[in-house]
Amino acid sequence: QLFMIKIADRKKRNHIVLLFSVMYMISYITRMNYGAIILEIQSKTGFSKSLLSMPVTGSFIAYGIGQLISGFCGDKMSPKKLVTIGLSVSVCMNILIPLCQNPYQMLVVWSINGLAQSFLWPPMVKILAQIFSETDYQYAVTKMSWGGNIGTILVYLIAPVLISVFHWSSVFGFAAIVGGAMVVIWNKYACDGKTEPIHPNDPAGIGKIWMKPILIGIFAGILLQGMLRDGVTTWMPSYIQETYHFSNATAILTGVAMPAFSILCTHLTARLYAKKLTNPMLCAGVLFVAGALSAAAMHFFAGENAIVSLLAFSVLTGSMHGVNLILVCMIPRYFEKTGQVSAVSGLLNAFTYAGSAASTWCVAASTDTCGWGVTIMIWLLTAATGAGICLLSSKAWNRYQKTIL
């Protein structure tokens, strides 16, 4: 019989949510910093956009593969220790990356960083699913998503200042310092989510939940949102700089708009999901439609107004953060009774970063050879495809969830 002790005290809940959100914020500071300043690295080193995109692509690939390993380990080992190990290794990689002499060395170091970072999210989701009720879990993962966006904002705000005063390598030094401090705080205050052993309702039938067509729709939706969310986030400053001829520092600073808008989008998505569109596939489909419309606006107003372009970029990435919240953050909670929350979380997140890895390199290649017009059309088609897949899968989800609840 499933036995779970849920935390009901609101003050204690808020303290836990704050700690987990700050941890996720720090994870973004130690992971998104390379992509945020890739334009400056390109300018100072003279390496091509394609070569310098390799470490980002390698990081995404390693992160995606690591999600599968982390997800499995999170169900078998101490989630708190896994998070400690992951962030500690990430701190070391942030120290090493400025010492690299070429993009190939950067590729190795930043891929290790991606692997280390993969040991953060699934274990944290595992803990939250164990200690919180469904409503509190939804509240917690939404706030954690905010933490990731705030971390991205801090990177895009602080990086231009550090670059102007010191050197691009100082961005990684700053990340290492705050990451090291967070390791200490996490070990002192984090709970481990330990409960009585979880016994699946139907051990013989667990495999059946992985043999349903609806999963193809879920995986495809996650893959496509990963392609849009991280591909657009990584290369938006380059688009602004090349199209409107801003300085590197100003172009990097414009990156603040997207995560700031994404906080609003995740808040609205959480309310929409809780109150109106309770079917996750239907909710994700509507968000993909919003993303497709914003990509269309990019196409029709390309090069005409920097503010319009920035707004369109923000809506696209914000809607994809909403899709990520629904498909990657909310769905694992449905698997609590099977004892596979961490494994499911890792698997779903792996598809996100498979899309991220493909998109980061493809955007660099397509813009180098075909220009931004072709790239924006690819984003439009990707969002439209995601909308179609998720909307068509919404009825199948209603049937599927009955097999796992």
Side-chain angles (χ1 to χ4, degrees):
Q1 182 180 0
L2 184 69
F3 176 72
M4 202 66 72
I5 301 175
K6 303 296 183 182
I7 293 175
D9 182 77
R10 187 167 295 274
K11 185 176 180 180
K12 186 174 183 180
R13 182 204 69 174
N14 290 340
H15 286 163
I16 293 172
V17 171
L18 176 62
L19 176 65
F20 277 58
S21 298
V22 173
M23 167 58 79
Y24 200 51
M25 178 189 76
I26 297 298
S27 77
Y28 266 63
I29 291 175
T30 53
R31 174 159 56 96
M32 300 298 289
N33 46 2
Y34 181 96
I37 65 171
I38 194 170
L39 191 62
E40 178 69 12
I41 299 175
Q42 179 187 2
S43 175
K44 296 301 183 183
T45 63
F47 293 115
S48 70
K49 190 186 301 181
S50 296
L51 280 176
L52 288 174
S53 71
M54 290 193 310
V56 181
T57 303
S59 174
F60 284 147
I61 293 174
Y63 189 91
I65 295 173
Q67 287 290 317
L68 302 175
I69 302 171
S70 172
F72 175 80
C73 292
D75 286 325
K76 307 295 182 182
M77 300 168 59
S78 163
K80 180 179 178 179
K81 291 181 180 178
L82 288 174
V83 173
T84 299
I85 293 171
L87 187 58
S88 298
V89 174
S90 182
V91 167
C92 294
M93 294 306 104
N94 272 270
I95 294 173
L96 289 178
I97 193 74
L99 304 178
C100 296
Q101 300 299 311
N102 57 63
Y104 300 102
Q105 293 177 356
M106 292 179 176
L107 170 62
V108 174
V109 170
W110 215 239
S111 294
I112 296 174
N113 186 56
L115 182 63
Q117 289 277 337
S118 70
F119 282 82
L120 304 181
W121 177 260
M124 287 196 290
V125 169
K126 174 72 172 184
I127 295 173
L128 294 177
Q130 286 185 331
I131 65 175
F132 285 154
S133 65
E134 181 177 355
T135 300
D136 285 344
Y137 173 85
Q138 292 182 8
Y139 172 83
V141 294
T142 300
K143 294 298 183 290
M144 279 178 64
S145 296
W146 289 15
N149 289 317
I150 292 172
T152 304
I153 291 172
L154 290 176
V155 168
Y156 281 100
L157 283 175
I158 295 171
V161 176
L162 293 175
I163 288 171
S164 299
V165 177
F166 302 107
H167 184 261
W168 61 260
S169 60
S170 62
V171 175
F172 298 102
F174 169 78
I177 291 172
V178 297
M182 191 64 216
V183 170
V184 176
I185 294 171
W186 173 262
N187 273 286
K188 183 174 182 179
Y189 295 106
C191 58
D192 208 8
K194 293 180 179 179
T195 62
E196 294 296 318
I198 297 176
H199 302 289
N201 289 342
D202 181 12
I206 289 180
K208 296 178 182 179
I209 67 177
W210 298 105
M211 301 172 63
K212 302 291 184 179
I214 179 62
L215 289 176
I216 298 175
I218 295 174
F219 295 154
I222 293 172
L223 184 75
L224 294 173
Q225 71 84 21
M227 293 175 66
L228 289 169
R229 188 193 67 176
D230 292 313
V232 173
T233 299
T234 299
W235 293 114
M236 187 280 289
S238 293
Y239 173 86
I240 293 295
Q241 193 272 337
E242 293 174 14
T243 304
Y244 299 104
H245 309 293
F246 289 176
S247 68
N248 287 353
T250 302
I252 293 172
L253 194 59
T254 61
V256 172
M258 291 190 297
F261 193 80
S262 294
I263 292 176
L264 174 62
C265 287
T266 52
H267 174 71
L268 294 176
T269 297
R271 292 182 64 86
L272 184 67
Y273 178 65
K275 304 294 184 180
K276 300 291 183 181
L277 302 179
T278 56
N279 182 314
M281 300 307 292
L282 179 60
C283 189
V286 171
L287 292 168
F288 266 117
V289 170
L293 293 175
S294 64
M298 283 185 210
H299 172 72
F300 289 112
F301 296 98
E304 294 189 10
N305 187 288
I307 295 177
V308 173
S309 293
L310 191 57
L311 179 61
F313 271 107
S314 298
V315 173
L316 176 56
T317 55
S319 59
M320 291 307 103
H321 275 279
V323 173
N324 185 80
L325 177 68
I326 298 302
L327 298 186
V328 177
C329 302
M330 297 302 184
I331 284 181
R333 180 68 171 72
Y334 286 93
F335 291 82
E336 182 188 2
K337 291 184 179 180
T338 71
Q340 296 176 307
V341 172
S342 184
V344 171
S345 176
L347 178 63
L348 297 183
N349 225 6
F351 277 91
T352 294
Y353 287 92
S356 301
S359 178
T360 301
W361 183 85
C362 288
V363 170
S366 66
T367 54
D368 281 343
T369 57
C370 304
W372 284 104
V374 172
T375 300
I376 291 174
M377 284 303 300
I378 292 174
W379 289 339
L380 172 57
L381 293 174
T382 301
T385 302
I389 291 173
C390 290
L391 293 175
L392 290 173
S393 301
S394 58
K395 289 186 178 180
W397 170 262
N398 290 330
R399 298 189 296 269
Y400 177 70
Q401 68 174 347
K402 296 177 182 178
T403 68
I404 55 177
L405 291 178

